[in-house]
Amino acid sequence: SASEVLPGDVFYLPHAGSGESFNMPCDALILDGGCITDEAVLTGESVPQVKRPLDVDNEADEFDMDGSHRGSVLFAGTHILHCDREIASDYDNMSEEPPANATSVRCLALRTGTYSSEGE
């Protein structure tokens, strides 16, 4: 559950697709896989956003979750419309198997609760 996720935790997203969606419980960096999100609650933008893993091989800058690395961050309170490993193919370095009810989208919790984008 969302109350159990702490910054620094690695977790898998639940399945979302075929008309199912859920609210993101925390700010998180995508490590593997990809998502399509609705960030209207934060930005007012009605066009869904594609989120992909951070490409660490091409990143020399300091991590900036609200700027240049925004395309790899899922923000608390936004709607996850679809998530799947295939959205960001070519990432085959999963270190463990996801739980049976999860997708192959692996994330790193960045901020939770009142410290998250939703709590600001």
Side-chain angles (χ1 to χ4, degrees), residues 11-17 20 22-25 80 83 101-103 105:
F11 63 96
Y12 289 91
L13 294 177
H15 177 74
E20 300 173 11
F22 62 92
N23 287 339
M24 192 65 194
I80 306 300
C83 50
N101 65 343
T103 65
V105 178

Side-chain angles (χ1 to χ4, degrees), residues 4-82:
E4 298 171 358
V5 176
L6 299 173
D9 285 352
V10 174
F11 63 96
Y12 289 91
L13 294 177
H15 177 74
S18 303
E20 300 173 11
S21 67
F22 62 92
N23 287 339
M24 192 65 194
C26 64
D27 294 342
L29 177 67
I30 298 176
L31 301 175
D32 293 296
C35 294
I36 299 173
T37 67
D38 175 355
E39 296 184 343
V41 297
L42 295 180
T43 66
E45 177 63 52
S46 62
V47 176
Q49 303 294 308
V50 175
K51 302 289 185 157
R52 293 188 169 87
L54 183 67
D55 185 359
V56 293
D57 293 333
N58 294 328
E59 298 297 332
D61 300 332
E62 185 174 316
F63 180 68
D64 181 9
M65 68 184 280
D66 294 314
S68 60
H69 302 113
R70 186 176 183 86
S72 297
V73 177
L74 301 171
F75 295 97
T78 60
H79 299 287
I80 306 300
L81 304 174
H82 183 79

Side-chain angles (χ1 to χ4, degrees), residues 12 17 23 25 28 31 36 46 52 84 92 94 105-106 108 111 115-117:
Y12 289 91
N23 287 339
L31 301 175
I36 299 173
S46 62
R52 293 188 169 87
D84 196 319
D92 296 322
M94 299 290 285
V105 178
R106 189 170 58 137
L108 171 69
R111 301 186 302 192
Y115 298 101
S116 70
S117 298

